[in-house]
Amino acid sequence: MAVRWKWRGRGRGSRARATDNAPDAGRRPHRHRWYTGRPRAYADAARRRLHEGDLGPVPALLALAVTWIVFQSLNENFLSPRNLSVLSVEIVGTGMVAVGVVFVLLIGEIDLSVGSLAGLSGALFAALNVNHGVPEGLAVFIAVVCGATAGAAHGFVFTKIGVPAFVVTLAGLLAWNGLMLYLLGPESSIGFSQDGLVAELTSRHFGTAAVTYGLAALGTAAYLLVSSHDRRRRGAAGMPYRPMGEIWARTALLAVVAFATVWVLGRFEGMPLALLIFLGVIVASDLLLRRTAYGRQVLALGGGVEAARRAGVDVSRVRISVFLVSGTLAAVGGLFVASRLTSATQVPGSGMLLINAIAAAVIGGTSLFGGRGSTWSALLGVLIIQSIASGMALLGVQPAVQFMITGGVLLIAVVFDALARRAAESRGRA
């Protein structure tokens, strides 16, 4: 039978009471303990989240598992080290853009300019470096700063002038796409050095076992230390915290995934530098959203603008900063896309990068209605999309079928998101 505790207050004389006839009903529980670590408690929590439509990354993980099982059964090369290594690099460009899209979606808005900004970033870098002899490092810096400035400009027009984000970023899509085509010139493409800084973003691999397994061990140990520190901090503050057994179980699962990934990729060319950078960006952005006051303000804004304003959130500053993040990561993603091709082309601005980035964020679990999601959803979503593309390519299926399947997966994710929000509204949690 479920056990729920209700606190009557934190002052003198406050006490907890059990709401049912549990065996330990009537006894005062541990003051700070929330997760009991018992299987029944986890089952109750899962049932409650199912009723509220908040399943987190579970649907995306199931979709990814089904995708991999189906394509592996149809083609034995799908989960080969070579194909997984290629897949781990191909997801980075779109994934970077999708992380920025997650920030915008969390406040309940949309950014339609990210594809064009990604294309502009690659074109600007190539034009400065190849046509004007600007050093690669400086050209990369200018391209990223231009992306950040364009994103901040979108946020400023949206926030200060009141033009809907959909219209502002749609205008940006057209304008930045035009500037990209102007920079590329009649050839519509500018090739750059295959041995340079940008080209090595996706061509460099770490094949030394000591380095790759050391990184996996370091990441696992960091997770354990951060989780243990968070447990102590929440306990000291009188907040619910996870039992140590659950933290060890999560750490063990992370270790299995990390070392298995290193082992598989090590059987081909090693750990890609691009994947390490992508994971670093996801971890940093996740910590920014979950562990800082700024991140809580972003999530609060997605829950309701007026409520966030009354709570003291500087709505204008947060909105502009979110679009700045989106523009910056779009520019970074564009450099990774150009790195894969070792040339700047008009492909990123054609619309597919924009569609895939938004689809990745939504399929991964970020709500279109704001206030729910994480940057890890960008990784899960882009893995699903690129896995479908890779599997279709191995099977020789036409791109038209690939688009239809990806569209179907996106529709399912959006419908699920809408049903989850309706369930939350019916319980007064939206």
Side-chain angles (χ1 to χ4, degrees):
M1 186 173 292
V3 179
R4 293 178 299 171
W5 300 98
K6 291 184 178 179
W7 296 97
R8 290 180 173 176
R10 301 185 61 181
R12 183 178 181 182
S14 65
R15 61 186 178 89
R17 63 182 176 84
T19 58
D20 56 11
N21 297 322
D24 55 351
R27 290 190 300 169
R28 183 172 182 170
H30 190 287
R31 181 178 177 83
H32 306 312
R33 193 71 171 267
W34 180 265
Y35 301 102
T36 63
R38 298 172 181 171
R40 177 175 294 180
Y42 290 110
D44 292 340
R47 191 180 304 114
R48 185 180 66 253
R49 296 186 68 173
L50 178 63
H51 290 164
E52 295 171 355
D54 182 15
L55 295 180
V58 174
L61 288 172
L62 291 176
L64 182 62
V66 170
T67 301
W68 283 18
I69 291 173
V70 169
F71 282 117
Q72 177 63 18
S73 64
L74 296 175
N75 190 312
E76 61 181 9
N77 293 322
F78 180 75
L79 292 181
S80 66
R82 177 187 180 85
N83 194 53
L84 290 180
S85 180
V86 173
L87 182 64
S88 68
V89 176
E90 287 183 340
I91 65 173
V92 176
T94 306
M96 285 284 188
V97 181
V99 171
V101 170
V102 167
F103 275 78
V104 179
L105 291 180
L106 283 176
I107 66 170
E109 300 297 338
I110 191 71
D111 188 348
L112 299 179
S113 68
V114 290
S116 296
L117 280 178
L120 175 63
S121 171
L124 184 58
F125 162 77
L128 290 174
N129 178 245
V130 177
N131 297 343
H132 300 283
V134 177
E136 275 198 291
L138 180 58
V140 167
F141 177 76
I142 294 174
V144 174
V145 168
C146 285
T149 304
H154 296 157
F156 181 84
V157 174
F158 163 60
T159 303
K160 297 297 184 181
I161 302 179
V163 180
F166 174 84
V167 178
V168 175
T169 55
L170 180 61
L173 181 153
L174 297 173
W176 306 130
N177 197 46
L179 181 57
M180 176 194 70
L181 294 175
Y182 175 80
L183 292 174
L184 292 177
E187 301 291 334
S188 298
S189 175
I190 301 177
F192 49 82
S193 173
Q194 298 184 4
D195 300 322
L197 173 65
V198 173
E200 287 197 353
L201 287 175
T202 54
S203 63
R204 174 68 65 89
H205 292 70
F206 297 101
T208 306
V211 175
T212 54
Y213 284 103
L215 289 174
L218 184 63
T220 305
Y223 174 80
L224 177 61
L225 292 175
V226 171
S227 298
S228 300
H229 173 72
D230 183 64
R231 180 177 184 274
R232 290 192 298 270
R233 183 176 60 84
R234 294 177 69 88
M239 300 174 65
Y241 60 86
R242 300 185 188 282
M244 204 59 207
E246 181 181 340
I247 293 177
W248 278 111
R250 286 170 173 257
T251 303
L253 179 61
L254 175 63
V256 170
V257 174
F259 281 91
T261 302
V262 170
W263 179 74
V264 171
L265 297 180
R267 295 175 62 191
F268 185 57
E269 292 182 327
M271 179 64 71
L273 172 63
L275 181 60
L276 290 175
I277 295 175
F278 183 37
L279 292 177
V281 169
I282 289 179
V283 171
S285 56
D286 182 61
L287 292 176
L288 177 66
L289 286 174
R290 293 193 303 112
R291 302 299 180 92
T292 66
Y294 170 75
R296 289 188 286 273
Q297 290 175 353
V298 172
L299 294 173
L301 199 57
V305 176
E306 189 55 34
R309 194 192 311 275
R310 291 177 181 272
V313 175
D314 188 340
V315 175
S316 298
R317 182 181 63 84
V318 174
R319 279 176 165 171
I320 293 174
S321 66
V322 163
F323 280 92
L324 184 149
V325 171
S326 179
T328 304
L329 290 176
V332 174
L335 292 175
F336 277 93
V337 173
S339 174
R340 283 285 295 163
L341 305 172
T342 60
S343 65
T345 68
Q346 56 183 339
V347 172
S350 63
M352 284 308 302
L353 180 59
L354 165 66
I355 295 172
N356 284 338
I358 295 177
V362 176
I363 291 173
T366 299
S367 175
L368 281 170
F369 303 99
R372 181 166 58 85
S374 75
T375 53
W376 289 101
S377 63
L379 173 62
L380 291 175
V382 76
L383 265 177
I384 294 173
I385 291 176
Q386 290 295 338
S387 295
I388 293 174
S390 176
M392 292 290 180
L394 287 176
L395 297 175
V397 179
Q398 296 179 352
V401 180
Q402 173 189 329
F403 294 155
M404 288 187 284
I405 293 178
T406 304
V409 174
L410 176 60
L411 178 61
I412 292 173
V414 172
V415 169
F416 185 85
D417 180 33
L419 293 177
R421 180 174 175 82
R422 182 180 299 179
E425 286 179 342
S426 67
R427 290 165 176 78
R429 294 177 60 89

